[in-house]
Amino acid sequence: MKKEDYPIYLDYSATTPIDPSVSSVIESHYRNTYGNASSIHSYGRIAKVILEESREIIAGSIGAEPSEIFFTAGGTESDNHALIGTAFAQRRKYGKDHIIVSSVEHHAVLDSAKYLMSHGFRVTHITVDEHGIIYTANIEEQINDKTALVSVMHANNETGVLQPIREIAKLVKKNRTVFHSDTVQTIGKIPVKVDELGMDLLAISAHKIYGPKGIGAIYIRKGTDIDALLHGGSQERNNRAGTENIPLIAGFAKAIELAQRGQEELFHHVEKLRSLLKEIIQNTVRDVIFNSTEEHSIPHILNVSLDSSTYIIESESLLLNMDLKGVAVSSGSACTSGSVQPSHVLLAMGRDPKTTQ
């Protein structure tokens, strides 16, 4: 049997296929809305209207003001902007030079923190328990009057584990520190409202919710001190230089609309699928480790390890053989594909290095 006879795509946390209606919106704007949104002529004004209407849709989906949404090239840029822009602004204005991040963050956050360390910032990595949940008490112990930013993702991209964002936000607010959260894996899948969760900065990416690649957004709460990451123009109210990509932005807004519309129904459907898949694995494969609990994770991600004391196999070999059988899965974040290193997320949870590879 050929691979194309039974293709099974199970890598939606890395990227989703684009929704046909989203693709249609993008194609239409590529053909018709070619004006620069910064131009004052009629073509520019048409593009500007599409830009601001899309901004309103995305802002409304998270309970923000349109003026608090800034378009980026995706989640990675949004995370970079949040950490680097905030850190430099806070140090320049208030002398704060300390950053707190969780040990299970996406590399867009961890590598940004590493970059800041090379520029004189102190970075504290907060550990998690065996279920991947952050120790909030550790944040309370480490946060101080020199802490510029705390960054904790909403749900982990490898395990799906949800963090106690509300509790963390309360701790951060008591110290008058800026709070950032990567919500790339939760936007469009579970309700995310910035005021309810207490976020000051938030990262979103379109291609995780059946939208296009190469477009995302950063939410910046009004009054938050943050420097621009890109320079060279006054676009996005001087927060992000560069001509706005109207077709992708319009497609992003359409994807958000569709995700909001079917969110609850999809959530319950995927919950059933996860339970079924978990049951099948438990009944057919021995010595399997499930790396998250159903109670504290989003149902769209199921992370499984094979106990290294029973199995001697590298994940790359397993994935290649599954691909030959027509099943597409990943062994970790797509941003670390090609790496043979153990998952930093599973290591932080206390898993054996051989089990995490």
Side-chain angles (χ1 to χ4, degrees):
M1 189 177 287
K2 297 178 181 179
K3 175 183 172 181
E4 54 265 30
D5 291 331
Y6 54 110
I8 300 174
Y9 183 75
L10 297 177
D11 203 17
Y12 280 67
S13 294
T15 193
T16 57
I18 194 165
D19 188 282
S21 59
V22 172
S23 179
S24 178
V25 167
I26 294 169
E27 290 170 9
S28 175
H29 284 296
Y30 268 130
R31 288 194 306 269
N32 304 311
T33 314
Y34 48 83
N36 189 318
S38 297
S39 300
I40 62 173
H41 50 60
S42 60
Y43 294 94
R45 293 197 302 272
I46 291 170
K48 183 71 170 178
V49 168
I50 300 300
L51 173 65
E52 297 309 326
E53 287 179 346
S54 299
R55 199 188 308 276
E56 288 180 11
I57 290 168
I58 293 164
S61 72
I62 61 172
E65 295 295 324
S67 61
E68 297 173 313
I69 298 296
F70 302 87
F71 291 107
T72 67
T76 293
E77 184 190 327
S78 296
D79 284 335
N80 272 252
H81 190 181
L83 266 74
I84 297 170
T86 301
F88 279 105
Q90 292 282 316
R91 184 167 68 179
R92 186 182 67 257
K93 292 188 174 185
Y94 310 110
K96 296 185 175 185
D97 62 355
H98 178 230
I99 308 295
I100 295 176
V101 300
S102 85
S103 56
V104 295
E105 292 298 304
H106 188 280
H107 280 287
V109 168
L110 294 177
D111 288 356
S112 293
K114 187 184 295 185
Y115 171 80
L116 289 170
M117 287 178 68
S118 71
H119 285 267
F121 287 88
R122 296 173 295 116
V123 176
T124 299
H125 295 83
I126 300 298
T127 56
V128 296
D129 64 17
E130 69 273 18
H131 303 298
I133 300 172
I134 198 166
Y135 289 108
T136 54
N138 287 2
I139 295 180
E140 194 166 19
E141 289 174 4
Q142 296 296 331
I143 198 168
N144 56 65
D145 59 3
K146 288 290 187 178
T147 306
L149 177 82
V150 173
S151 180
V152 177
M153 67 199 321
H154 195 190
N156 189 266
N157 55 299
E158 292 188 29
T159 63
V161 171
L162 282 162
Q163 299 297 346
I165 295 297
R166 287 185 181 87
E167 290 82 353
I168 295 169
K170 288 177 182 177
L171 290 175
V172 174
K173 294 301 178 187
K174 282 199 299 186
N175 197 68
R176 297 182 180 178
T177 297
V178 178
F179 181 45
H180 163 255
S181 186
D182 182 328
T183 63
V184 165
Q185 292 296 342
T186 53
I187 290 287
K189 296 172 184 169
I190 61 175
V192 177
K193 300 297 181 183
V194 291
D195 286 340
E196 291 177 14
L197 294 174
M199 302 155 174
D200 298 308
L201 302 164
L202 173 154
I204 319 173
S205 186
H207 74 99
K208 308 292 187 180
I209 51 170
Y210 303 89
K213 298 177 183 67
I215 188 68
I218 179 172
Y219 159 77
I220 304 174
R221 184 179 292 277
K222 194 175 298 183
T224 302
D225 292 303
I226 186 169
D227 289 350
L229 189 66
L230 299 182
H231 305 272
S234 59
Q235 293 90 351
E236 297 301 287
R237 298 180 300 286
N238 293 303
N239 268 283
R240 203 268 189 180
T243 302
E244 293 95 346
N245 191 325
I246 300 304
L248 294 190
I249 288 171
F252 184 10
K254 182 65 175 179
I256 284 278
E257 280 188 314
L258 294 173
Q260 293 286 109
R261 194 180 306 163
Q263 188 177 95
E264 187 174 351
E265 181 182 354
L266 179 62
F267 182 90
H268 293 304
H269 175 64
V270 176
E271 266 191 324
K272 293 176 183 177
L273 292 178
R274 178 182 62 178
S275 296
L276 177 60
L277 178 58
K278 188 173 181 179
E279 182 181 345
I280 291 171
I281 293 172
Q282 286 175 321
N283 292 337
T284 56
V285 184
R286 62 192 178 92
D287 297 327
V288 171
I289 301 169
F290 292 96
N291 292 310
S292 60
T293 63
E294 294 187 15
E295 182 184 0
H296 297 293
S297 63
I298 53 174
H300 308 80
I301 299 175
L302 181 65
N303 187 295
V304 178
S305 294
L306 300 176
D307 194 326
S308 62
S309 63
T310 302
Y311 300 94
I312 304 175
I313 184 171
E314 291 186 354
S315 60
E316 283 73 20
S317 298
L318 179 61
L319 298 187
L320 286 172
N321 278 285
M322 291 183 71
D323 189 52
L324 290 173
K325 294 291 186 180
V327 180
V329 294
S330 286
S331 60
S333 171
C335 297
T336 57
S337 61
S339 171
V340 294
Q341 298 300 314
S343 162
H344 73 282
V345 175
L346 298 184
L347 286 177
M349 293 167 61
R351 300 290 186 263
D352 174 68
K354 291 182 180 179
T355 299
T356 67
Q357 285 186 315

